[in-house]
């Protein structure tokens, strides 16, 4: 019968899940690792927003403090630039928008399409 034959073809979901072992997970998306603004280490950050305090172990070193100030200003500039690019894309209608800014006139379509 057809019902017994249908089991021979796994669904797309089953094929995808079959690519991964039970204990194995797909690799997470790549992102920029957090780093200390002062020394550049990736095992800690410069400032903890929750504690509202500088948490870097080298926070008292004047050279590290100067570097942190410089890196933080550069970081703020990058954020501002990226924000402007993002806002420009959204206001210009760029990106993945499927909507059109032109009004649609239903009289332009035949009766079947309306």
């Amino acid at each position: 019968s057809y019902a017994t034959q249908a089991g021979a073809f796994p669904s797309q979901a089953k094929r995808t899940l079959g690519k991964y072992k039970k204990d194995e997970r797909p690799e997470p998306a790549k992102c920029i690792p957090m780093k200390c603004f002062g020394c550049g280490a990736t095992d800690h950050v410069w400032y903890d927003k929750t504690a509202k305090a500088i948490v870097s172990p080298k926070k008292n070193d004047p050279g590290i403090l100067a570097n942190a100030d410089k890196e933080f200003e550069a970081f703020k500039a990058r954020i501002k630039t990226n924000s402007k690019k993002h806002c420009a894309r959204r206001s210009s209608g760029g990106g993945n928008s499927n909507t059109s800014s032109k009004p649609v006139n239903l009289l332009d379509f035949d009766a079947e399409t309306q």
Side-chain angles (χ1 to χ4, degrees):
S1 88
Y2 179 74
T4 58
Q5 293 175 348
F9 300 104
S11 70
Q12 178 64 41
K14 285 186 179 182
R15 282 187 296 215
T16 301
L17 290 173
K19 292 179 182 179
Y20 304 101
K21 296 177 184 174
K22 278 192 173 198
D23 297 334
E24 187 179 322
R25 297 224 159 105
E27 191 172 319
K30 303 274 185 212
C31 63
I32 299 170
M34 298 291 286
K35 69 175 188 170
C36 176
F37 286 134
C39 64
T42 56
D43 63 339
H44 64 272
V45 292
W46 175 254
Y47 184 81
D48 183 0
K49 289 193 315 189
T50 306
K52 296 186 177 168
I54 296 173
V55 294
S56 175
K58 299 176 185 178
K59 64 184 174 189
N60 296 323
D61 183 339
I64 297 293
L65 186 59
N67 192 46
D69 287 339
K70 184 180 78 170
E71 287 294 318
F72 185 63
E73 290 303 319
F75 171 75
K76 288 194 305 187
R78 283 192 309 271
I79 294 297
K80 191 173 185 178
T81 301
N82 289 342
S83 177
K84 284 182 181 177
K85 285 180 187 176
H86 179 70
C87 289
R89 265 196 316 261
R90 293 188 91 185
S91 65
S92 69
N96 295 330
S97 175
N98 290 329
T99 61
S100 173
S101 59
K102 294 181 182 178
V104 176
N105 185 354
L106 290 177
L107 299 176
D108 293 340
F109 299 99
D110 60 6
E112 192 174 306
T113 307
Q114 291 180 4

